[in-house]
């Protein structure tokens, strides 16, 4: 399992990450499934692959890749990732906050507002971001249309407002968004078509207390947007020339001022949306890759915390049942499955109860972590792990190991994407 088994706190050092993207390596079996996945909104274009220059590897190739990675033989081309050593150690509060994020659920969700004129391609790009980066897409327009169809008492008012191309009262829209967020087992949200005006923005902020990470703004000329909407063909009541023109006016009068507000806070990420769907997505992707890198690092931290505290249920939740490992405890052999590692959790528990001691905790420090993405569904985290072991017979001893941990994003039984630890390599670090 890679390390000590007594109680511990995890201290994190050296984790200042510069998050420009790293390596573009091929898709795994999970991403093949993703490419086939249908969109949440059911729009036909959403099922397509992100295209581009990715190659698809078979499962066998993936195993080979892992073996090479584990043996340190794999060169990650195009890497521009760098890590600064010696960053400050996190406080206990920060560590606790990280624990929340590592499990992808916290009271502080990651929200990105997606804005742009009607027909600029917001929904199309959101579907691609969902496919590749595991965000939940909440379209304010879709939620309002669903509310009409649910027969709600507000239905007629919402329907008339949409037909007129006007903006629905904010408390209605914010309530729908808040409910959808609460019902979702996710910490990452793309909120599309919102905030449409200053009132939307103020009510959302007041009700939820959430500040967006950034505003993804699709910039597109009116004639292009008009052409796209008129050929959208989804049976929307507002996709007619008269309403489209009204919506353009509302966009200029009410939504552009919101974008301007966020400009002053440095949060707008403006994308030229006139190019093809795949070209636009190529411009969008760099804005999301660092989230994946952060999540992998959080997941690794949570795993180590689980090991240090003897918390097997956390370890089991984060690891694939067929986890493979090279580690000193396995005497140079590749071990597969969790039983080998569970032995050490059980041993730690038994030793603790027989000695009856409750001494200070084992403490792990991650030094110089690097996160390399292999496509969007797999990643490798490497670092040196220092473990301070308080108990005898090695009281006060610090061990140093180099660890390489491979993660794959997979769908769980509930159909949700989650990261699973699938392989690690751990060896003693040369001491200085
Ligand atoms: N880059 C693009 N090039 C050409 N067509 C596109 C592009 N992006 C989206 N489209 C098409 O334009 C239409 C409008 O796109 P989409 O529904 O994503 O826009 P939107 O910004 O979400 O619109 P709305 O605000 O009205 O809901 C769709 O039919 C979509 O297939
Ligand atoms: N925050 C919002 C978002 C949408 N509306 C109304 O829905 C219409 C369609 O929205 P799309 O994002 O799907 O284009 C829009 O024209 C508004 O009437 C809203 O009121 N508030």
């Amino acid at each position: 399992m890679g390390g000590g088994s007594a109680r511990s706190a995890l201290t994190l050092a050296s984790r200042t990450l510069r998050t420009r993207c790293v390596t573009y390596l091929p898709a795994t079996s999970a991403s093949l499934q993703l490419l086939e996945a249908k969109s949440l909104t059911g729009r036909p274009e959403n099922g397509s692959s992100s295209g581009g220059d990715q190659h698809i590897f078979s499962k066998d190739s993936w195993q080979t890749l892992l073996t090479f990675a584990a043996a340190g033989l794999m060169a990650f081309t195009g890497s521009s990732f760098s890590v600064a050593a010696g960053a400050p150690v996190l406080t206990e509060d920060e560590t606790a906050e990280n624990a929340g994020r590592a499990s992808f659920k916290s009271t502080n969700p990651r929200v990105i507002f997606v804005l742009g004129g009607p027909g600029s391609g917001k929904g199309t790009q959101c579907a691609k971001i969902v496919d590749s980066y595991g965000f939940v897409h909440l379209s304010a327009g879709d939620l309002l249309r669903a509310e009409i169809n649910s027969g709600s008492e507000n239905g007629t008012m919402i329907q008339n407002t949409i037909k007129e191309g006007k903006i629905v009262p904010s408390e209605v829209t914010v309530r729908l968004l808040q409910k959808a967020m609460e019902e979702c087992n996710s910490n990452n949200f793309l909120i599309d078509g919102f905030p449409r005006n200053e009132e939307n923005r103020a009510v959302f902020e007041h009700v939820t207390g959430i500040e967006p990470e950034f505003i993804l703004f699709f910039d597109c000329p009116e004639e292009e947007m008009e052409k796209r909407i008129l050929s959208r063909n989804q049976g929307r009541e507002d996709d007619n020339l008269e309403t489209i023109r009204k919506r353009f006016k509302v966009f200029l009068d009410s939504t552009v001022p919101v974008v301007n507000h966020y400009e002053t806070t440095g949060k707008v990420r403006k994308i030229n949306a006139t190019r093809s769907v795949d070209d636009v997505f190529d411009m969008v992707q760099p804005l999301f890759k660092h989230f994946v890198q952060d999540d992998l690092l959080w997941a690794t931290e949570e795993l180590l915390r689980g090991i240090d505290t003897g918390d097997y249920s956390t370890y089991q939740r984060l690891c694939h049942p067929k986890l493979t490992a090279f580690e000193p405890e396995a005497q140079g052999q590749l071990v597969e499955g969790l039983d080998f590692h569970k032995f050490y959790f059980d041993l730690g528990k038994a030793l603790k109860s027989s000695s009856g001691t409750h001494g200070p905790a084992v403490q792990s420090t991650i030094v110089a972590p690097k996160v390399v993405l292999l496509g969007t569904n797999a990643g490798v985290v490497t670092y040196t792990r220092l473990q301070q072991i308080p108990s005898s017979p090695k009281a006060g001893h610090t061990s140093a190991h180099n660890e390489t941990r491979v993660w794959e994003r997979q769908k769980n039984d509930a159909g949700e994407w989650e990261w699973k630890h699938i392989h690690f390599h751990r060896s003693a670090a040369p001491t200085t």
Side-chain angles (χ1 to χ4, degrees):
M1 68 179 173
S5 54
R7 309 193 103 236
S8 87
L10 178 68
T11 315
L12 306 169
S14 313
R15 30 161 313 158
T16 309
L17 303 175
R18 230 179 283 148
T19 50
R20 271 202 310 127
C21 183
V22 187
T23 307
Y24 229 45
L25 274 181
T28 63
S29 55
S31 57
L32 286 173
Q33 287 166 18
L34 253 186
L35 294 176
E36 289 164 13
K38 285 287 165 218
S39 77
L40 287 173
T41 59
R43 291 180 179 173
E45 63 273 24
N46 297 341
S48 66
S49 100
S50 60
D53 54 358
Q54 290 190 11
H55 313 281
I56 307 294
F57 270 43
S58 70
K59 192 130 190 126
D60 288 349
S61 316
W62 174 236
Q63 287 298 342
T64 312
L65 202 73
L66 288 186
T67 311
F68 285 154
L73 292 174
M74 205 162 83
F76 297 110
T77 55
S79 169
S80 59
F81 204 92
S82 80
V83 174
V89 172
L90 296 190
T91 64
E92 251 176 53
D93 281 354
E94 287 165 329
T95 308
E97 184 195 324
N98 295 344
R101 294 192 78 168
S103 61
F104 307 105
K105 266 187 256 170
S106 81
T107 51
N108 189 18
R110 220 180 243 156
V111 165
I112 288 148
F113 289 148
V114 184
L115 290 175
S120 57
K122 302 181 293 296
T124 305
Q125 292 299 323
C126 282
K128 294 178 83 66
I129 298 165
V130 168
D131 274 359
S132 293
Y133 297 100
F135 273 66
V136 167
H137 174 206
L138 298 177
S139 154
D142 284 350
L143 289 172
L144 290 167
R145 284 183 284 273
E147 187 71 354
I148 299 171
N149 294 333
S150 74
S152 122
E153 58 181 278
N154 285 324
T156 311
M157 178 275 290
I158 296 172
Q159 189 167 27
N160 291 335
T161 311
I162 289 182
K163 249 194 237 163
E164 279 301 304
K166 292 185 180 157
I167 297 175
V168 172
S170 299
E171 56 274 17
V172 173
T173 315
V174 169
R175 187 176 42 78
L176 292 173
L177 284 170
Q178 195 185 20
K179 185 162 169 276
M181 287 172 81
E182 281 166 8
E183 284 170 0
C184 246
N185 188 22
S186 175
N187 202 33
N188 296 327
F189 296 98
L190 292 170
I191 303 194
D192 162 12
F194 187 94
R196 268 312 214 266
N197 59 11
E198 276 295 316
E199 188 200 58
N200 269 187
R201 183 181 73 77
V203 173
F204 183 86
E205 247 177 62
H206 179 74
V207 170
T208 67
I210 296 171
E211 269 284 322
E213 298 273 330
F214 61 81
I215 314 312
L216 183 56
F217 176 60
F218 292 107
D219 191 25
C220 197
E222 269 189 21
E223 65 266 25
E224 175 65 19
M225 296 195 282
E226 188 175 296
K227 200 172 76 190
R228 289 181 188 176
I229 295 179
L230 290 175
S231 53
R232 178 155 56 184
N233 207 14
Q234 286 181 347
R236 274 175 56 167
E237 274 196 283
D238 54 350
D239 279 358
N240 59 75
L241 206 50
E242 194 190 338
T243 313
I244 290 169
R245 297 265 156 90
K246 287 181 185 164
R247 288 162 68 201
F248 284 156
K249 182 162 169 28
V250 170
F251 171 68
L252 288 176
D253 292 348
S254 303
T255 312
V256 169
V258 181
V259 177
N260 291 340
H261 162 84
Y262 282 119
E263 281 283 9
T264 65
T265 65
K267 286 200 169 174
V268 177
R269 308 288 179 267
K270 187 163 154 181
I271 301 285
N272 175 354
T274 51
R275 313 259 300 267
S276 73
V277 171
D278 284 344
D279 283 354
V280 174
F281 190 53
D282 283 346
M283 293 185 266
V284 166
Q285 294 214 59
L287 299 171
F288 286 85
K289 282 185 172 152
H290 74 281
F291 290 131
V292 181
Q293 289 167 327
D294 283 355
D295 282 348
L296 282 183
L297 198 51
W298 296 129
T300 302
E301 288 162 2
E302 190 180 21
L303 184 84
L304 298 195
R305 198 178 297 114
I307 295 168
D308 285 348
T309 58
D311 174 3
Y312 183 68
S313 66
T314 293
Y315 192 80
Q316 197 176 26
R317 173 170 56 78
L318 292 169
C319 294
H320 191 280
K322 291 196 169 165
L323 172 79
T324 50
F326 281 120
E327 62 175 339
E329 289 87 338
Q331 303 289 331
Q333 306 301 309
L334 183 73
V335 287
E336 181 173 332
L338 297 185
D339 284 353
F340 185 85
H341 311 289
K342 186 171 184 294
F343 171 86
Y344 295 101
F345 283 92
D346 292 342
L347 181 66
K349 227 189 263 171
L351 289 176
K352 218 173 92 194
S353 67
S354 71
S355 70
T357 53
H358 294 282
V362 171
Q363 181 165 279
S364 282
T365 300
I366 291 178
V367 182
K370 289 190 184 189
V371 184
V372 177
L373 299 185
L374 313 176
T376 52
N377 293 316
V380 176
V381 184
T382 59
Y383 51 90
T384 298
R385 177 175 171 198
L386 300 179
Q387 271 187 302
Q388 291 165 284
I389 301 159
S391 54
S392 61
K394 286 177 158 185
H397 173 77
T398 299
S399 73
H401 286 87
N402 292 329
E403 298 191 350
T404 299
R405 296 191 180 266
V406 184
W407 295 82
E408 188 177 30
R409 202 159 65 108
Q410 305 179 342
K411 249 184 190 167
N412 64 21
D413 292 344
E416 293 151 353
W417 289 101
E418 58 185 19
W419 286 102
K420 285 285 177 190
H421 185 29
I422 58 170
H423 176 81
F424 73 88
H425 191 126
R426 168 181 159 87
S427 55
T431 47
T432 49

